[in-house]
Amino acid sequence: MPSCCSGVGITIVADTNTNAVPDLLKTCPVSGDKLGEMGEPYVFAYQGQEVKLCCKSCKPDFDQNPDKYIKLIRAADKKSAKKN
């Protein structure tokens, strides 16, 4: 399956200086791609939660159903908390 960012030659990085709850996922919640494989992740805050996407091209999909993706991010946070 081709990546959501296939053929994208530009790396765009949003504001990474957020005061939001950290996003602990190692993959893009939208595409499932490993973060960092296509350059720096696209990072932004959504309702106090930091969100890391593999690229800006995933942002419109995130915006269509943010609650779905926030649940994935927060599930990763809970798994990390259980390990500590």
Side-chain angles (χ1 to χ4, degrees):
M1 181 170 117
S3 170
C4 64
C5 306
S6 296
V8 174
I10 273 182
T11 301
I12 300 172
V13 180
D15 180 13
T16 57
N17 295 320
T18 67
N19 290 322
V21 176
D23 176 353
L24 302 179
L25 274 180
K26 302 296 182 203
T27 58
C28 176
V30 175
S31 70
D33 291 337
K34 186 175 177 182
L35 294 173
E37 285 186 341
M38 295 176 284
E40 291 295 315
Y42 179 74
V43 182
F44 61 98
Y46 176 81
Q47 295 183 353
Q49 174 67 57
E50 178 185 61
V51 178
K52 295 178 187 174
L53 304 177
C54 62
C55 64
K56 191 172 182 176
S57 298
C58 285
K59 181 74 162 71
D61 289 335
F62 175 89
D63 290 339
Q64 286 182 2
N65 193 354
D67 291 338
K68 172 183 174 182
Y69 302 114
I70 291 295
K71 284 180 186 177
L72 293 172
I73 294 167
R74 292 192 175 149
D77 292 348
K78 288 179 184 176
K79 285 181 185 178
S80 177
K82 287 181 182 178
K83 288 180 181 179
N84 294 332

Coordinates of all heavy atoms in Angstrom, one line a residue:
M1 N 0.8 -1.2 0.0 CA 0.0 0.0 0.0 C 0.9 1.2 0.0 O 1.8 1.4 0.8 CB -0.9 0.0 1.2 CG -1.8 1.1 1.3 SD -3.0 0.9 2.6 CE -2.6 2.3 3.7
P2 N 0.7 2.2 -0.9 CA 1.5 3.4 -0.9 C 1.2 4.2 0.3 O 0.1 4.3 0.8 CB 1.1 4.1 -2.2 CG -0.2 3.5 -2.7 CD -0.3 2.1 -2.0
S3 N 2.3 4.9 0.7 CA 2.2 5.8 1.8 C 1.3 7.0 1.5 O 1.2 7.4 0.3 CB 3.6 6.2 2.2 OG 3.5 7.3 3.2
C4 N 0.8 7.6 2.5 CA 0.0 8.8 2.3 C 0.9 10.0 1.8 O 0.4 10.9 1.2 CB -0.7 9.3 3.6 SG 0.5 9.7 4.9
C5 N 2.2 9.9 1.9 CA 3.1 11.0 1.6 C 4.0 10.6 0.4 O 5.0 11.2 0.2 CB 3.9 11.3 2.8 SG 3.0 11.7 4.2
S6 N 3.6 9.5 -0.3 CA 4.4 9.1 -1.5 C 4.7 10.3 -2.4 O 3.7 11.0 -2.8 CB 3.8 8.0 -2.2 OG 3.7 6.9 -1.4
G7 N 5.9 10.5 -2.8 CA 6.2 11.6 -3.7 C 6.3 13.0 -3.1 O 6.6 13.9 -3.8
V8 N 6.1 13.1 -1.9 CA 6.2 14.4 -1.2 C 7.6 14.7 -1.0 O 8.3 13.9 -0.3 CB 5.4 14.5 0.1 CG1 5.7 15.8 0.8 CG2 3.9 14.3 -0.1
G9 N 8.1 15.8 -1.5 CA 9.5 16.1 -1.4 C 9.9 17.2 -0.4 O 11.0 17.5 -0.2
I10 N 8.9 17.7 0.3 CA 9.1 18.8 1.2 C 8.7 18.3 2.6 O 7.8 17.6 2.8 CB 8.2 20.0 0.8 CG1 8.9 20.9 -0.2 CG2 7.7 20.8 2.0 CD1 8.1 22.1 -0.6
T11 N 9.5 18.7 3.6 CA 9.2 18.4 5.0 C 8.7 19.6 5.6 O 9.3 20.7 5.6 CB 10.5 17.9 5.7 OG1 11.0 16.8 5.1 CG2 10.2 17.6 7.2
I12 N 7.5 19.5 6.2 CA 6.9 20.6 6.9 C 6.7 20.2 8.3 O 6.2 19.2 8.7 CB 5.5 20.9 6.3 CG1 5.7 21.3 4.8 CG2 4.8 22.1 7.0 CD1 4.4 21.4 4.0
V13 N 7.1 21.1 9.2 CA 7.1 20.8 10.6 C 6.3 21.9 11.3 O 6.5 23.1 11.1 CB 8.5 20.7 11.3 CG1 8.3 20.5 12.8 CG2 9.3 19.7 10.6
A14 N 5.2 21.5 12.0 CA 4.4 22.5 12.8 C 5.1 22.9 14.0 O 6.2 22.4 14.3 CB 3.1 21.9 13.1
D15 N 4.5 23.8 14.8 CA 5.1 24.2 16.1 C 5.3 23.0 17.0 O 4.3 22.4 17.4 CB 4.2 25.3 16.7 CG 4.7 25.8 18.0 OD1 5.8 25.5 18.3 OD2 3.9 26.5 18.7
T16 N 6.5 22.8 17.4 CA 6.8 21.6 18.3 C 6.9 22.1 19.7 O 7.1 21.3 20.6 CB 8.1 20.9 17.9 OG1 9.1 21.9 17.9 CG2 7.9 20.3 16.6
N17 N 6.7 23.4 20.0 CA 6.8 23.9 21.3 C 5.4 24.0 21.9 O 4.9 25.1 22.1 CB 7.5 25.3 21.3 CG 8.9 25.2 20.9 OD1 9.6 24.3 21.3 ND2 9.4 26.1 20.1
T18 N 4.8 22.9 22.2 CA 3.5 22.9 22.8 C 3.6 22.6 24.3 O 4.5 22.1 24.8 CB 2.6 21.8 22.1 OG1 3.1 20.6 22.5 CG2 2.5 21.9 20.6
N19 N 2.5 23.0 25.0 CA 2.4 22.7 26.4 C 1.4 21.6 26.6 O 0.8 21.6 27.7 CB 2.1 24.0 27.2 CG 3.2 25.0 27.2 OD1 4.3 24.6 27.3 ND2 2.9 26.3 27.1
A20 N 1.2 20.8 25.6 CA 0.2 19.8 25.6 C 0.7 18.5 26.2 O 1.9 18.3 26.4 CB -0.3 19.6 24.2
V21 N -0.2 17.6 26.5 CA 0.2 16.2 26.9 C 1.0 15.6 25.8 O 0.5 15.6 24.7 CB -1.1 15.4 27.3 CG1 -0.7 14.0 27.7 CG2 -1.9 16.1 28.4
P22 N 2.1 15.0 26.1 CA 3.0 14.4 25.0 C 2.3 13.2 24.3 O 1.5 12.5 24.9 CB 4.2 13.9 25.8 CG 4.2 14.6 27.0 CD 2.8 14.9 27.4
D23 N 2.5 13.1 23.0 CA 2.0 12.0 22.2 C 3.1 11.0 22.2 O 4.2 11.2 21.7 CB 1.8 12.6 20.8 CG 1.4 11.5 19.8 OD1 1.4 10.3 20.1 OD2 1.1 11.8 18.6
L24 N 2.8 9.8 22.8 CA 3.8 8.7 22.9 C 3.8 7.7 21.8 O 4.6 6.8 21.8 CB 3.7 8.1 24.3 CG 3.8 9.0 25.5 CD1 3.6 8.2 26.8 CD2 5.1 9.7 25.5
L25 N 2.9 7.9 20.8 CA 2.8 6.9 19.7 C 4.1 7.0 18.9 O 4.7 8.1 18.7 CB 1.7 7.2 18.8 CG 0.3 6.6 19.1 CD1 -0.7 7.1 18.1 CD2 0.4 5.1 19.2
K26 N 4.6 5.9 18.4 CA 5.8 5.8 17.6 C 5.4 5.8 16.1 O 6.2 5.7 15.2 CB 6.6 4.6 17.9 CG 7.1 4.6 19.4 CD 8.0 5.7 19.7 CE 8.4 5.6 21.1 NZ 8.8 6.9 21.7
T27 N 4.1 5.7 15.8 CA 3.5 5.7 14.5 C 2.5 6.8 14.3 O 1.9 7.2 15.2 CB 2.9 4.3 14.2 OG1 1.8 4.1 15.1 CG2 3.9 3.2 14.2
C28 N 2.3 7.1 13.0 CA 1.3 8.1 12.7 C -0.1 7.5 13.0 O -0.4 6.4 12.5 CB 1.4 8.5 11.2 SG 0.1 9.6 10.7
P29 N -1.0 8.1 13.8 CA -2.3 7.5 14.1 C -3.2 7.5 12.8 O -4.1 6.7 12.8 CB -2.9 8.4 15.1 CG -2.2 9.7 15.0 CD -0.8 9.4 14.5
V30 N -2.9 8.3 11.8 CA -3.7 8.3 10.6 C -3.2 7.3 9.6 O -4.0 6.4 9.2 CB -3.7 9.7 10.0 CG1 -4.4 9.7 8.6 CG2 -4.2 10.8 10.9
S31 N -2.0 7.2 9.3 CA -1.5 6.3 8.2 C -0.9 5.0 8.7 O -0.8 4.1 8.0 CB -0.4 7.0 7.4 OG 0.8 7.2 8.2
G32 N -0.5 5.0 10.0 CA 0.2 3.9 10.5 C 1.7 3.8 10.2 O 2.4 2.9 10.7
D33 N 2.2 4.8 9.5 CA 3.6 4.8 9.2 C 4.4 5.2 10.4 O 4.0 6.0 11.2 CB 3.9 5.8 8.1 CG 3.3 5.4 6.7 OD1 3.1 4.2 6.5 OD2 3.1 6.3 5.9
K34 N 5.6 4.6 10.5 CA 6.6 4.9 11.6 C 7.0 6.4 11.5 O 7.3 6.9 10.4 CB 7.8 4.0 11.5 CG 8.7 4.2 12.7 CD 9.8 3.2 12.6 CE 10.8 3.4 13.8 NZ 11.9 2.5 13.7
L35 N 6.9 7.1 12.6 CA 7.2 8.5 12.6 C 8.7 8.6 12.4 O 9.5 7.9 12.9 CB 6.9 9.1 14.0 CG 5.4 9.2 14.3 CD1 5.1 9.7 15.7 CD2 4.7 10.1 13.3
G36 N 9.1 9.6 11.6 CA 10.5 9.9 11.3 C 11.0 9.2 10.0 O 12.1 9.6 9.5
E37 N 10.2 8.3 9.4 CA 10.7 7.7 8.2 C 10.7 8.6 7.0 O 11.4 8.4 6.1 CB 9.8 6.4 7.9 CG 10.1 5.3 8.8 CD 9.4 4.0 8.4 OE1 8.3 4.1 7.7 OE2 9.8 2.9 8.8
M38 N 9.9 9.6 7.1 CA 9.7 10.6 6.0 C 10.2 12.0 6.4 O 9.6 12.9 5.9 CB 8.3 10.6 5.4 CG 7.9 9.3 4.8 SD 6.2 9.2 4.3 CE 5.4 9.1 5.9
G39 N 11.1 12.0 7.3 CA 11.5 13.3 7.8 C 10.9 13.6 9.2 O 10.3 12.7 9.8
E40 N 11.0 14.8 9.7 CA 10.4 15.2 11.0 C 8.9 15.1 10.9 O 8.3 15.5 10.0 CB 10.9 16.6 11.3 CG 12.3 16.8 11.6 CD 12.8 16.0 12.9 OE1 12.1 16.0 13.9 OE2 13.8 15.3 12.8
P41 N 8.3 14.6 12.0 CA 6.9 14.5 12.1 C 6.2 15.9 12.1 O 6.9 16.9 12.5 CB 6.6 13.8 13.4 CG 7.8 13.1 13.8 CD 9.0 14.0 13.2
Y42 N 5.0 15.9 11.7 CA 4.2 17.2 11.7 C 3.5 17.2 13.1 O 2.8 16.2 13.4 CB 3.1 17.2 10.6 CG 2.2 18.4 10.6 CD1 2.7 19.6 10.2 CD2 0.9 18.3 11.1 CE1 1.9 20.7 10.2 CE2 0.1 19.4 11.1 CZ 0.6 20.6 10.7 OH -0.2 21.8 10.7
V43 N 3.9 18.1 13.9 CA 3.4 18.2 15.3 C 2.6 19.4 15.6 O 2.9 20.5 15.2 CB 4.7 18.2 16.3 CG1 4.3 18.1 17.7 CG2 5.6 17.0 16.0
F44 N 1.5 19.1 16.3 CA 0.6 20.2 16.7 C -0.2 19.8 18.0 O -0.1 18.7 18.4 CB -0.4 20.6 15.6 CG -1.3 19.5 15.2 CD1 -2.6 19.4 15.7 CD2 -0.9 18.5 14.3 CE1 -3.4 18.3 15.3 CE2 -1.7 17.4 13.9 CZ -3.0 17.4 14.5
A45 N -0.9 20.7 18.6 CA -1.7 20.4 19.7 C -3.2 20.5 19.4 O -3.6 21.3 18.6 CB -1.4 21.4 20.8
Y46 N -3.9 19.5 19.9 CA -5.4 19.4 19.7 C -6.0 19.3 21.1 O -5.8 18.3 21.7 CB -5.7 18.3 18.8 CG -7.2 18.1 18.6 CD1 -7.9 18.9 17.7 CD2 -7.9 17.2 19.4 CE1 -9.3 18.8 17.6 CE2 -9.3 17.1 19.2 CZ -10.0 17.9 18.3 OH -11.3 17.7 18.2
Q47 N -6.7 20.3 21.5 CA -7.4 20.2 22.8 C -6.5 19.7 23.9 O -6.9 18.9 24.7 CB -8.7 19.4 22.7 CG -9.7 20.0 21.8 CD -11.0 19.2 21.7 OE1 -11.1 18.1 22.3 NE2 -12.0 19.7 21.0
G48 N -5.3 20.3 24.0 CA -4.4 20.0 25.1 C -3.6 18.7 24.9 O -2.9 18.3 25.8
Q49 N -3.8 18.1 23.8 CA -3.0 16.8 23.5 C -2.1 17.1 22.3 O -2.5 17.5 21.3 CB -4.0 15.7 23.1 CG -3.4 14.4 22.6 CD -2.6 13.7 23.7 OE1 -3.1 13.4 24.7 NE2 -1.3 13.5 23.5
E50 N -0.8 16.8 22.5 CA 0.1 16.8 21.4 C -0.2 15.7 20.4 O -0.5 14.6 20.8 CB 1.6 16.6 21.9 CG 2.6 16.6 20.8 CD 4.0 16.3 21.4 OE1 4.2 15.2 21.9 OE2 4.9 17.2 21.2
V51 N -0.1 16.1 19.1 CA -0.4 15.1 18.1 C 0.8 15.1 17.1 O 1.2 16.2 16.7 CB -1.7 15.5 17.3 CG1 -1.9 14.5 16.2 CG2 -2.9 15.5 18.2
K52 N 1.3 13.9 16.8 CA 2.4 13.8 15.8 C 1.9 12.9 14.7 O 1.5 11.8 14.8 CB 3.6 13.0 16.5 CG 4.2 13.8 17.6 CD 5.4 13.0 18.2 CE 6.0 13.7 19.4 NZ 7.0 12.8 20.0
L53 N 2.0 13.6 13.5 CA 1.6 12.9 12.3 C 2.8 12.7 11.4 O 3.8 13.5 11.5 CB 0.5 13.7 11.5 CG -0.7 14.1 12.2 CD1 -1.6 14.9 11.4 CD2 -1.5 12.8 12.7
C54 N 2.8 11.7 10.5 CA 4.0 11.5 9.7 C 4.3 12.6 8.7 O 5.4 12.9 8.4 CB 3.9 10.2 8.9 SG 2.5 10.1 7.8
C55 N 3.2 13.3 8.3 CA 3.3 14.5 7.4 C 2.1 15.3 7.5 O 1.1 14.9 8.0 CB 3.6 14.0 6.0 SG 2.2 13.0 5.4
K56 N 2.2 16.5 6.9 CA 1.1 17.4 6.9 C -0.1 16.9 6.1 O -1.2 17.3 6.3 CB 1.5 18.8 6.4 CG 0.5 19.9 6.6 CD 1.0 21.3 6.3 CE -0.1 22.3 6.6 NZ 0.4 23.6 6.4
S57 N 0.2 16.0 5.1 CA -0.9 15.5 4.3 C -1.9 14.6 5.1 O -3.0 14.4 4.6 CB -0.3 14.6 3.2 OG 0.6 15.3 2.4
C58 N -1.5 14.2 6.3 CA -2.4 13.4 7.1 C -3.4 14.3 7.9 O -4.4 13.9 8.5 CB -1.7 12.5 8.1 SG -1.0 11.1 7.2
K59 N -3.1 15.6 8.0 CA -3.8 16.5 8.8 C -5.3 16.6 8.4 O -6.2 16.6 9.3 CB -3.2 17.9 8.8 CG -3.9 19.0 9.7 CD -3.7 18.7 11.2 CE -4.0 20.0 12.0 NZ -5.4 20.3 12.2
P60 N -5.6 16.7 7.1 CA -7.1 16.7 6.8 C -7.8 15.5 7.2 O -9.0 15.6 7.6 CB -7.1 16.9 5.2 CG -5.7 17.5 4.9 CD -4.8 16.9 6.0
D61 N -7.2 14.3 7.1 CA -7.9 13.1 7.6 C -8.0 13.1 9.1 O -9.1 12.8 9.7 CB -7.0 11.9 7.3 CG -7.1 11.6 5.8 OD1 -8.1 12.0 5.1 OD2 -6.1 10.9 5.3
F62 N -7.0 13.6 9.8 CA -7.2 13.8 11.3 C -8.3 14.8 11.6 O -9.1 14.5 12.5 CB -5.9 14.4 11.9 CG -6.0 14.7 13.4 CD1 -5.7 13.7 14.3 CD2 -6.4 15.9 13.8 CE1 -5.8 14.0 15.7 CE2 -6.5 16.2 15.2 CZ -6.2 15.2 16.1
D63 N -8.4 15.9 10.9 CA -9.5 16.9 11.1 C -10.9 16.3 10.9 O -11.8 16.8 11.5 CB -9.2 18.1 10.3 CG -8.0 18.9 10.7 OD1 -7.6 18.7 11.9 OD2 -7.5 19.7 9.9
Q64 N -11.0 15.3 10.0 CA -12.3 14.7 9.7 C -12.9 13.9 10.9 O -14.1 13.8 11.1 CB -12.3 13.9 8.5 CG -12.2 14.6 7.2 CD -12.2 13.7 6.0 OE1 -12.3 12.5 6.1 NE2 -12.0 14.3 4.8
N65 N -12.0 13.3 11.7 CA -12.4 12.5 12.8 C -11.3 12.5 13.9 O -10.7 11.5 14.3 CB -12.6 11.0 12.4 CG -13.4 10.2 13.4 OD1 -13.6 10.7 14.5 ND2 -13.7 9.0 13.0
P66 N -11.1 13.7 14.5 CA -10.0 13.8 15.5 C -10.2 12.9 16.8 O -9.2 12.4 17.3 CB -10.0 15.3 15.9 CG -11.4 15.8 15.5 CD -11.8 14.9 14.3
D67 N -11.4 12.7 17.2 CA -11.7 11.8 18.4 C -11.1 10.4 18.2 O -10.6 9.8 19.1 CB -13.1 11.8 18.7 CG -13.6 13.1 19.2 OD1 -12.8 13.9 19.7 OD2 -14.9 13.4 19.2
K68 N -11.3 9.9 17.0 CA -10.8 8.5 16.6 C -9.3 8.5 16.9 O -8.8 7.5 17.5 CB -11.1 8.2 15.2 CG -10.5 7.0 14.7 CD -10.8 6.8 13.2 CE -10.1 5.6 12.6 NZ -10.4 5.5 11.1
Y69 N -8.5 9.5 16.4 CA -7.1 9.5 16.5 C -6.6 9.8 17.9 O -5.6 9.3 18.3 CB -6.5 10.4 15.4 CG -6.9 9.9 14.0 CD1 -7.8 10.7 13.2 CD2 -6.6 8.7 13.5 CE1 -8.2 10.3 12.0 CE2 -7.0 8.3 12.3 CZ -7.8 9.1 11.5 OH -8.2 8.6 10.3
I70 N -7.3 10.7 18.6 CA -6.9 11.1 19.9 C -7.0 9.8 20.8 O -6.2 9.6 21.7 CB -7.8 12.2 20.5 CG1 -7.5 13.5 19.7 CG2 -7.7 12.4 22.0 CD1 -6.0 14.0 20.0
K71 N -8.0 9.0 20.6 CA -8.2 7.7 21.4 C -7.0 6.8 21.2 O -6.5 6.2 22.2 CB -9.4 7.0 21.0 CG -10.7 7.6 21.5 CD -11.9 6.8 21.1 CE -13.2 7.5 21.5 NZ -14.4 6.8 21.0
L72 N -6.4 6.8 20.0 CA -5.2 5.9 19.7 C -4.0 6.5 20.5 O -3.2 5.7 21.1 CB -4.9 5.9 18.2 CG -5.9 5.2 17.3 CD1 -5.6 5.4 15.9 CD2 -5.9 3.7 17.7
I73 N -3.9 7.8 20.5 CA -2.8 8.5 21.1 C -2.9 8.3 22.6 O -1.9 7.9 23.3 CB -2.7 10.0 20.8 CG1 -2.4 10.1 19.3 CG2 -1.7 10.7 21.7 CD1 -2.6 11.5 18.8
R74 N -4.1 8.4 23.2 CA -4.2 8.3 24.6 C -4.1 6.8 25.1 O -3.7 6.6 26.2 CB -5.5 8.9 25.1 CG -5.5 10.4 24.9 CD -6.6 11.2 25.5 NE -6.3 12.6 25.4 CZ -7.2 13.5 25.3 NH1 -8.5 13.2 25.3 NH2 -6.9 14.8 25.2
A75 N -4.4 5.9 24.2 CA -4.3 4.5 24.5 C -2.8 4.2 24.7 O -2.4 3.4 25.6 CB -4.9 3.6 23.5
A76 N -1.9 4.8 23.8 CA -0.5 4.6 23.9 C 0.0 5.2 25.2 O 0.9 4.6 25.9 CB 0.2 5.2 22.7
D77 N -0.5 6.3 25.6 CA -0.1 7.0 26.9 C -0.4 6.0 28.1 O 0.4 5.9 29.0 CB -0.9 8.3 27.1 CG -0.5 9.4 26.1 OD1 0.5 9.2 25.4 OD2 -1.2 10.4 26.1
K78 N -1.6 5.4 28.1 CA -2.0 4.5 29.1 C -1.1 3.3 29.2 O -0.7 2.8 30.3 CB -3.4 4.0 29.0 CG -4.4 5.2 29.3 CD -5.9 4.7 29.1 CE -6.8 5.9 29.3 NZ -8.2 5.5 29.0
K79 N -0.7 2.7 28.0 CA 0.2 1.6 28.0 C 1.5 1.9 28.6 O 2.1 1.2 29.3 CB 0.3 1.1 26.5 CG -0.8 0.3 26.0 CD -0.6 -0.2 24.6 CE -1.8 -0.8 24.0 NZ -1.6 -1.3 22.6
S80 N 2.0 3.1 28.2 CA 3.3 3.6 28.7 C 3.3 3.8 30.3 O 4.2 3.4 31.0 CB 3.7 4.9 28.1 OG 4.9 5.4 28.6
A81 N 2.2 4.3 30.8 CA 2.0 4.5 32.2 C 2.0 3.2 33.0 O 2.5 3.1 34.1 CB 0.7 5.3 32.5
K82 N 1.4 2.1 32.4 CA 1.4 0.8 33.0 C 2.8 0.2 33.1 O 3.0 -0.5 34.0 CB 0.4 -0.1 32.3 CG -1.0 0.2 32.4 CD -1.9 -0.8 31.7 CE -3.4 -0.5 31.8 NZ -4.2 -1.4 31.1
K83 N 3.6 0.5 32.1 CA 5.0 -0.1 32.1 C 5.8 0.6 33.2 O 6.8 0.0 33.7 CB 5.6 0.1 30.8 CG 5.1 -0.7 29.7 CD 5.8 -0.5 28.4 CE 5.2 -1.4 27.3 NZ 5.8 -1.2 26.0
N84 N 5.5 1.8 33.6 CA 6.3 2.6 34.5 C 5.9 2.4 35.9 O 5.3 2.0 36.6 CB 6.3 4.1 34.2 CG 7.0 4.4 32.9 OD1 7.9 3.6 32.5 ND2 6.6 5.4 32.3

